[in-house]
Amino acid sequence: MENHGTLVLRNEDLDTQRSRLEFASAMIEDLRWLGIHWTEGPDCGGAYGPYSQSERRAHYLEAWRRLRAGGHLYPCICSRKDLAQAASAPNDADDEPVYPGTCRDRKDKDMAGFAEPAGVNWRFRVPEGEAVEFSDLNLGRQRYVAGNNFDFGDFLVWRRDDVPAYQLAVVVDDAAMRITEVVRGADLLKSTARQLLLMRALGHSPPDYFHCELVRDAAGARLAKRHDGLSIRHLRESGMTAPTVLEMAGWP
Ligand SMILES: [Zn+2]
């Protein structure tokens, strides 16, 4: 804020199982209660809206078309069972399993006919063995090697059930909303490496990143979204004040 930036609130509601309108209103109300002020968002609009991902499908579709035309994507017809059997476990529990590349070089005729992404999983072909490096504003120099036998494999950009994957949606939105600095949890460091590859393929220049240590409860478990015990709402209803909650979260 001291740099006179604009705070943008984006509602990442592509997962219809976990996103409902009342969740978004509760989030907005809780953030307001905390005293956080944004000037662009689903509730107040702004120049680069809409600010809910469920309303931005046309942007994601356009990126899918460009990536596909550039040879960066391929359809993956592996079943859940194939993936469970073939994938090697990720070396950290937060991350997705490394995809072994089964469909990467399939030449079947029926793989060419997709005019729309729906009906099959789409993966981004990562440059095998290439190191992706970036300087994190909080955690310093980061380095991940792309490739099926390295830190991360060909990752999902569009799901069989016709929902764009998180990695694609945030890259498209960060560019379209002119985001210059992203602050988020350290569990997403490796995803940043994936997103940098996507940005390069789409011709976007990346924002700066500041990854925070994760807030953990007294037992050391991270506060996942599904873990309601310490949600803002719960803390608020237990009588805690906004400044105490902010202090607990390490807000400056
Ligand atoms: Zn596959």
Side-chain angles (χ1 to χ4, degrees), residues 3 35 39 76 84 108 124 169 179 213 222 239 243:
N3 295 322
T39 48
C76 167
D108 318 32
F124 182 83
I179 302 297
E213 307 290 348
R222 53 178 289 217

Side-chain angles (χ1 to χ4, degrees), residues 74-79 83 99 101-104 106 123:
Y74 62 87
C76 167
I77 56 172
C78 295
S79 66
L83 293 175
Y99 176 70
T102 321
C103 301
R104 193 181 246 223
R106 293 181 70 110
R123 294 183 180 276

Side-chain angles (χ1 to χ4, degrees), residues 193-205:
R194 294 183 176 98
Q195 290 166 25
L196 288 170
L197 291 175
L198 270 179
M199 282 177 209
R200 184 174 71 186
L202 285 165
H204 301 319
S205 44

Side-chain angles (χ1 to χ4, degrees), residues 70-98:
H72 297 288
L73 305 185
Y74 62 87
C76 167
I77 56 172
C78 295
S79 66
R80 237 177 252 275
K81 196 169 146 222
D82 295 335
L83 293 175
Q85 283 168 352
S88 50
N91 45 21
D92 59 88
D94 286 333
D95 206 43
E96 65 182 62
V98 176

